[in-house]
Amino acid sequence: MLGTSVTWGDITFMMTGAGLTLAITFWAMLGGTLLGIVFGLIRSHSPWYVNYPMGAVLDVLRSVPLLIQFILFNSFQSIAGWGMNPFVVGCVVLAAYTSAFCTEIVRGGIQAVPVTTRRAARSLGMNWAQDMAYIVLPLGTRVMLPSWIGLTLGVMKDTALVYAIGVIELLRSSQIIITRKPHEALLILAIAGLIYFIVSFPVSRLGAHLEKKWREND
């Protein structure tokens, strides 16, 4: 690159790291969202002796720093002989971590639907599954979406912590380049920040677009 020692090879290396960042984010959000929907439904409709223990486990996942979760799970799976590579470990841990937050997003969205609306659906002859599919989830999704978008963006940044288990994602690839070219540290970090912005911006815009579309349809 003109006027700097940062080469296109360095940029390519960082873009490869960005690809891993996006891949981990995708699988973590997919797994975490699916688990969050299931756990959210259970927590919204289960008795206290199911709700409290599940809530306690999810509180642990939310409370323990993610870096510690990565290291502990990676060590445990190595001792257990599961043979999971660092990428899979990162996806699994981050999905579990994401599910703990997504569960509360789903539960909050479900509880935001007025009881009177649900009673009206039942009075029309809908069963529980129809009530959830046609009334609760469509209405609750409007409440859930902003928080889910924020969670997605947060998870994308949290992927930087997988460096602790040996995954060379965007931030770690930037650090590797900085060790070779410490005098270009600010430029390299600026490029990394720009890449993070480029991959994050479409997600935030998509959320804003969907919110606007729903408001126009009300």
Side-chain angles (χ1 to χ4, degrees), residues 153 156 170 190-204:
L153 296 175
M156 187 178 296
L170 176 55
I191 294 172
L194 177 62
I195 295 173
Y196 273 117
F197 173 77
I198 291 172
V199 298
S200 300
F201 186 73
V203 177
S204 61

Side-chain angles (χ1 to χ4, degrees), residues 1-8 10 177 180-184 187-188:
M1 295 181 66
L2 186 62
T4 175
S5 62
V6 178
T7 66
W8 288 113
D10 295 329
I177 297 173
R180 294 189 286 107
K181 302 176 181 181
H183 56 288
E184 299 282 11
L187 175 60
I188 294 168

Side-chain angles (χ1 to χ4, degrees), residues 58-122:
L58 295 175
D59 283 341
V60 170
L61 290 174
R62 283 193 298 269
S63 303
V64 176
L66 187 55
L67 181 60
I68 295 177
Q69 295 185 42
F70 280 128
I71 295 173
L72 289 178
F73 184 78
N74 190 52
S75 299
F76 175 79
Q77 69 89 20
S78 296
I79 295 172
W82 293 350
M84 299 168 66
N85 64 53
F87 176 82
V88 175
V89 171
C91 292
V92 170
V93 173
L94 203 50
Y97 178 78
T98 301
S99 71
F101 289 92
C102 196
T103 296
E104 296 308 307
I105 292 174
V106 172
R107 186 170 70 134
I110 292 173
Q111 293 178 345
V113 178
V115 176
T116 53
T117 301
R118 303 193 64 180
R119 287 176 179 169
R122 293 302 182 91

Side-chain angles (χ1 to χ4, degrees), residues 105 140-150 206-208 210-211 214:
I105 292 174
T141 299
R142 302 188 181 197
V143 178
M144 302 175 205
L145 183 64
S147 297
W148 186 86
I149 293 294
L206 174 62
L210 291 176
E211 287 186 70
W214 282 336

